[in-house]
Amino acid sequence: MAGSSSLRIGNKIKRSEQHVKRKKEKESTKRDERLKRRRHEDKNPDLRAARQSRNVPATIDSKRTWDEIEPEEGEEGAALGRSVDILRAKRRKVEEHEAAKDFDGEDALDEDPQDDKEDDLDSMLGSDSEDDAATKPAPPVREPSEAPSIATDLALTPESLSTRFPALFDPPPDQQPKVLITTSLNSALHTEAQMLTTLFPHSTYIKRSAHAHAYKYSVREIAKYAHGREYTHLVILNQALHVKEPSGLDIVLLPGGPMFHFSISHFVAGKKLPGHGNPTNHYPELILNGFKTPLGLLTAHLFKSLFPPHPEIQGRQVVTLHNQRDYIFLRRHRYVFRDKRATEKQIQGTDGKPMKGVEEVRAGLQELGPRFTMKLRRVDRGVQRGSGQEWEWKGGDEKVRTRFSL
């Protein structure tokens, strides 16, 4: 009623003063309630923990929906077009196996123990190995980390994907990648393509054609040329139609595919980043985050094959590919571990409490670049669209905002 009565005041200055007065009273009331709640929570910390557990914001990621797989579908249910959490399905399978194992153990307990004693007496096996196993010290138990992990577990690959893409999931041991980088036809992205040679180890940039009137090599001809010179991957940087900016990235696994098509946005060169560093020739470490579905694991294995399997730790360089809502954010940093300064706060976990073991340690990051965002659009069986598609993005797939492909 106070707000409606103040609106009836004809004088503009008086009406403004009443509005300011009402706003201050509202802020004062909220402040008093906040301080009162703080005093109660200081006396009883359980109240603060209960309030923080209720005040978790509801995001699109937390509302994410998954496609359910029937038990009789098995591995075939984990198709590329389905949004299936491989980790959840694996965990459910392990729980069912443990439940069946416990049920078998209960049946074994119901048997006559006298028969077991007779079997032990009649056994002619020596007990030296059993004594050695009993005296062998147990491995130390490692406590789980308090930090939330969204790292991709590449060991949870369905067998159906391994058999369909053996070149990605079963590569030769200790194979060093060799990448050929080029651009689309009549492209002017020579500087951007040269930047990619610093991102991917053992990579070489070759122009698509010598000049505007030279012969236009097709992707199939380039793939055949690269495979004959022991290249393992072909990377094609596509240029936008009317702008001198990257618009897409095509990655071909030689010799015969598959071929992945990504769209690129927000490409920023390393020299334009504030406080950037200069990269070195060390093999970087690779971090893959957020790839959970069969299509996501396939994409993660593709990026894994682009980098050497054994990084050079002394270079302290790390390449991060973070998937969130089907957008893949690529960043490259140099890190350093240092002591915590007296003015810095302690690292807190998701529960707001200080994390144990890192009280006096800090990690510093310096971005090296380039940085850009990718989105997977198509996966071809072979080289280019004519070979058929394993998966293709469609506009109607995003009608449900809580369903994602990767």
Side-chain angles (χ1 to χ4, degrees):
M1 296 298 293
S4 60
S5 61
S6 62
L7 293 176
R8 298 195 186 109
I9 300 176
N11 192 319
K12 180 180 178 181
I13 298 176
K14 295 293 184 180
R15 187 168 63 245
S16 178
E17 291 177 354
Q18 290 293 327
H19 174 71
V20 172
K21 181 180 178 182
R22 186 174 66 255
K23 190 174 181 180
K24 287 184 177 180
E25 291 177 354
K26 186 177 180 180
E27 292 177 354
S28 177
T29 304
K30 291 177 64 176
R31 183 175 62 253
D32 293 341
E33 292 178 354
R34 186 170 61 251
L35 294 177
K36 182 179 179 181
R37 183 176 65 243
R38 181 183 298 177
R39 288 193 296 269
H40 286 296
E41 291 177 350
D42 290 341
K43 296 178 181 178
N44 189 1
D46 295 338
L47 297 177
R48 179 180 288 109
R51 178 178 59 83
Q52 292 176 350
S53 62
R54 292 192 306 268
N55 292 345
V56 177
T59 61
I60 294 181
D61 294 327
S62 62
K63 296 179 181 179
R64 181 173 181 175
T65 58
W66 302 92
D67 296 339
E68 295 294 336
I69 295 182
E70 299 297 334
E72 57 270 10
E73 292 182 5
E75 295 286 346
E76 298 299 330
L80 292 182
R82 304 189 64 176
S83 178
V84 180
D85 190 355
I86 299 297
L87 180 60
R88 183 185 302 177
K90 189 75 173 180
R91 188 184 297 115
R92 183 176 59 185
K93 188 176 181 180
V94 171
E95 291 176 355
E96 292 176 356
H97 178 71
E98 291 179 353
K101 192 175 181 180
D102 295 340
F103 182 76
D104 295 339
E106 292 177 359
D107 292 344
L109 291 175
D110 294 339
E111 297 179 358
D112 189 5
Q114 188 66 25
D115 297 339
D116 297 339
K117 294 181 180 180
E118 293 178 358
D119 293 341
D120 294 340
L121 293 175
D122 294 339
S123 177
M124 299 299 293
L125 297 176
S127 60
D128 295 339
S129 60
E130 297 178 359
D131 296 340
D132 296 340
T135 57
K136 185 177 180 179
V141 179
R142 180 180 179 182
E143 296 182 357
S145 175
E146 297 181 7
S149 176
I150 55 175
T152 303
D153 192 354
L154 298 178
L156 299 177
T157 303
E159 295 182 1
S160 59
L161 286 181
S162 301
T163 55
R164 193 186 308 178
F165 305 99
L168 273 179
F169 293 96
D170 296 321
D174 297 334
Q175 179 186 12
Q176 293 293 338
K178 188 178 179 183
V179 184
L180 175 62
I181 300 176
T182 187
T183 60
S184 56
L185 290 173
N186 303 324
S187 174
L189 300 177
H190 306 295
T191 304
E192 289 79 359
Q194 195 67 38
M195 292 179 191
L196 296 182
T197 60
T198 65
L199 180 64
F200 302 116
H202 301 297
S203 59
T204 305
Y205 169 58
I206 300 178
K207 292 183 179 181
R208 186 69 176 264
S209 58
H211 50 83
H213 303 286
Y215 178 75
K216 311 298 183 183
Y217 290 95
S218 65
V219 176
R220 293 180 183 274
E221 291 175 331
I222 298 174
K224 185 177 180 181
Y225 166 88
H227 178 61
R229 284 153 182 80
E230 298 182 352
Y231 284 94
T232 60
H233 297 79
L234 171 63
V235 176
I236 303 172
L237 186 63
N238 299 317
Q239 182 179 345
L241 188 59
H242 300 294
V243 187
K244 188 182 174 182
E245 293 179 357
S247 63
L249 190 72
D250 298 340
I251 304 177
V252 185
L253 185 67
L254 300 176
M259 184 174 183
F260 292 75
H261 301 264
F262 299 90
S263 61
I264 287 183
S265 60
H266 304 95
F267 188 96
V268 181
K271 64 180 181 180
K272 294 184 178 180
L273 297 172
H276 72 89
N278 296 321
T280 58
N281 294 328
H282 296 91
Y283 296 163
E285 303 173 54
L286 184 63
I287 297 178
L288 300 169
N289 287 338
F291 299 93
K292 298 181 179 181
T293 64
L295 182 62
L297 290 177
L298 180 66
T299 309
H301 276 274
L302 170 71
F303 291 122
K304 177 187 174 184
S305 64
L306 286 169
F307 295 90
H310 303 292
E312 296 176 349
I313 307 298
Q314 63 271 22
R316 296 182 287 109
Q317 293 185 154
V318 56
V319 174
T320 304
L321 289 156
H322 177 81
N323 171 51
Q324 187 172 3
R325 304 180 189 179
D326 288 349
Y327 288 93
I328 304 173
F329 302 91
L330 187 143
R331 301 291 185 269
R332 178 168 56 163
H333 295 87
R334 179 181 291 114
Y335 61 87
V336 62
F337 295 107
R338 58 177 177 81
D339 296 335
K340 185 179 76 69
R341 301 187 182 97
T343 56
E344 294 177 334
K345 297 181 180 179
Q346 293 186 353
I347 300 178
Q348 296 180 351
T350 55
D351 55 354
K353 299 179 180 179
M355 296 181 62
K356 299 179 180 179
V358 292
E359 291 84 357
E360 302 298 330
V361 180
R362 281 293 181 275
L365 291 177
Q366 183 185 33
E367 190 167 358
L368 307 178
R371 67 157 66 167
F372 51 89
T373 305
M374 297 180 290
K375 186 168 185 178
L376 183 62
R377 299 297 181 176
R378 198 172 76 241
V379 179
D380 297 335
R381 292 191 181 95
V383 180
Q384 293 186 314
R385 180 181 285 273
S387 61
Q389 282 69 49
E390 292 285 353
W391 177 85
E392 186 173 6
W393 177 86
K394 297 180 178 61
D397 294 343
E398 295 183 349
K399 187 175 295 184
V400 180
R401 296 290 302 276
T402 56
R403 185 182 183 276
F404 305 104
S405 300
L406 300 183

